[in-house]
Amino acid sequence: MERLSAGSAARLALARAGLLRPAWTDLPARVGSRASASSVHEAALAHIRRPGYLQLDTVAVAGARSHGIVLASRLEGFRANDAEDLLAPGSELFEYWGHEASWMPMELYPAFAFRREDFAVHPWWGDLLKEHRETTRAIVARIRAEGPLRSADLEGASKGGFWNLKLSKKLVLSLWSSGELAIRERRAFLRTYDLRERVIPKRVRGRPLALTDSLRALLLRALDGHGWATTGTLAATWRLRNLRAEITTALEQLREADQVRPCTLETEGGERVRGWIRPRDLELAARLRRARPRRDRGVLLSPFDPVLWDRKRVARLFNFQMLLEIFKPKAQRVYGYYCMPVLAGDRLIARVDLKADRKRGSLELRALHYEPPGRGRRGAPEQRAAVEHALARYAASVELRPPPRA
């Protein structure tokens, strides 16, 4: 059984996430102001391929949506709103249910054959496709004859609210979830649906993987993004439910092939947590222990960042209590509506709540809290410098003026 300290696992997680220097990440760290659209796309795609997904979210209160913020935190000079154009005809990305709705590299399309089969009966709405067979056929025939169709163009009255979607929208979502339709592109963040064969290349469409092969591929890709992770984190990366026995078998097969090894995490509090690591990442973790991360150049992270969504993992690795308070009433929020942690070196040193004011062309700093909790707005000098740098870099990525000095 291999062993890893929480500090080593934290540095490894940041390296695999593309949040340390390129020498440790093997990923691009910036895009130049004169970079071509294709080179920017390739740099973004490299960062999506590493964890295997880029989670989508609609909230843009801070000046950009989460998927743009995630890429801007890794690629200095990247304009966060350019992420909106990544899914387009001919792109090497497809949209599907990965870690929630996500953009994923095309090579992972075969690994989700099991989910497309499962979602032939929609997990929320039941067997709509069979219950409304004639309407379903009419929608597919219309797309086949007329070409790509936005969900907003479908007929039918909506009662408002996601759970009261008009029937035609539910049907196209069910057709997409089951794999008969695919999302060709997004315009103003609205999905455009098309026939699967007109979006997904034949090279990946024609070779679906069996469940065991899919699980091995997905678990290995999840570990590729995390560095070290528990079985629960690996399963949650792809929202794998009711597959405990199959996941255990897949991990044992990967262990027998020496693609993964059992590894115990040892926290400062004496907790020991069983998890997994790749052999080559054991070597990387050893090298990172001798590295000196830069602590002055802070960067803001999306609250939906791949490093942050597993709150228990964040607490163990970074001694940081990650909170998502979007759905809480204002009076119950501790840190703010859209709270973005500040990463400096290998530490989460603060969190800010931002709101974009496009009319004034600036960012409003609604709240700032330094770590550890209780420090409030009076951080140490190096913390304040890191926050200033993070705010300036983020403001540039959303093309707004930074807020006054924090």
Side-chain angles (χ1 to χ4, degrees), residues 298-319:
V299 63
L300 296 187
L301 301 183
S302 161
F304 300 100
D305 193 284
V307 171
L308 298 176
W309 57 257
D310 188 332
R311 299 182 191 181
K312 187 177 292 186
R313 172 183 168 87
V314 173
R316 284 170 174 158
L317 269 56
F318 297 98
N319 193 28

Side-chain angles (χ1 to χ4, degrees), residues 105-297:
M106 198 66 75
E107 65 264 20
L108 285 184
Y109 186 84
F112 286 94
F114 76 96
R115 182 158 291 164
R116 293 189 291 273
E117 183 177 342
D118 288 346
F119 283 10
V121 176
H122 198 277
W124 300 332
W125 303 315
D127 200 356
L128 284 182
L129 301 181
K130 182 179 289 186
E131 294 169 10
H132 302 276
R133 192 169 293 167
E134 292 304 315
T135 306
T136 298
R137 288 174 178 169
I139 289 173
V140 174
R142 180 179 172 184
I143 293 174
R144 189 180 302 279
E146 299 178 14
L149 188 69
R150 297 186 310 159
S151 59
D153 297 329
L154 293 165
E155 298 173 357
S158 175
K159 298 178 182 179
F162 187 75
W163 296 106
N164 293 312
L165 286 173
K166 55 189 178 183
L167 176 62
S168 55
K169 284 190 176 182
K170 287 183 178 180
L171 289 174
V172 293
L173 279 168
S174 297
L175 286 164
W176 166 60
S177 297
S178 66
E180 188 166 350
L181 296 182
I183 296 173
R184 182 177 182 85
E185 62 183 335
R186 280 184 179 260
R187 292 288 179 90
F189 207 58
L190 292 175
R191 293 164 168 154
T192 299
Y193 295 91
D194 203 349
L195 302 179
R196 175 182 59 178
E197 58 267 29
R198 297 202 293 227
V199 176
I200 308 299
K202 186 176 181 180
R203 71 177 191 275
V204 295
R205 193 176 69 242
R207 53 181 185 88
L209 296 180
L211 177 59
T212 302
D213 295 330
S214 294
L215 292 178
R216 284 200 301 266
L218 291 175
L219 293 169
L220 201 59
R221 182 64 67 100
L223 198 58
D224 202 40
H226 291 303
W228 172 92
T230 63
T231 300
T233 295
L234 296 178
T237 300
W238 305 113
R239 300 299 192 236
L240 301 173
R241 299 183 176 94
N242 303 316
L243 291 168
R244 180 177 294 182
E246 292 86 348
I247 290 170
T248 299
T249 298
L251 285 169
E252 182 59 24
Q253 291 171 344
L254 291 170
R255 186 196 66 79
E256 290 175 355
D258 199 30
Q259 291 183 279
V260 304
R261 292 181 186 174
C263 182
T264 296
L265 180 77
E266 299 179 339
T267 69
E268 292 182 2
E271 184 184 17
R272 294 186 177 184
V273 185
R274 294 174 66 91
W276 302 90
I277 194 170
R278 300 177 311 161
R280 64 184 182 184
D281 279 341
L282 278 170
E283 300 172 6
L284 176 57
R287 289 189 285 123
L288 285 168
R289 280 197 298 270
R290 300 187 292 269
R292 289 187 176 183
R294 294 185 63 173
R295 298 182 183 276
D296 57 330
R297 296 176 63 82

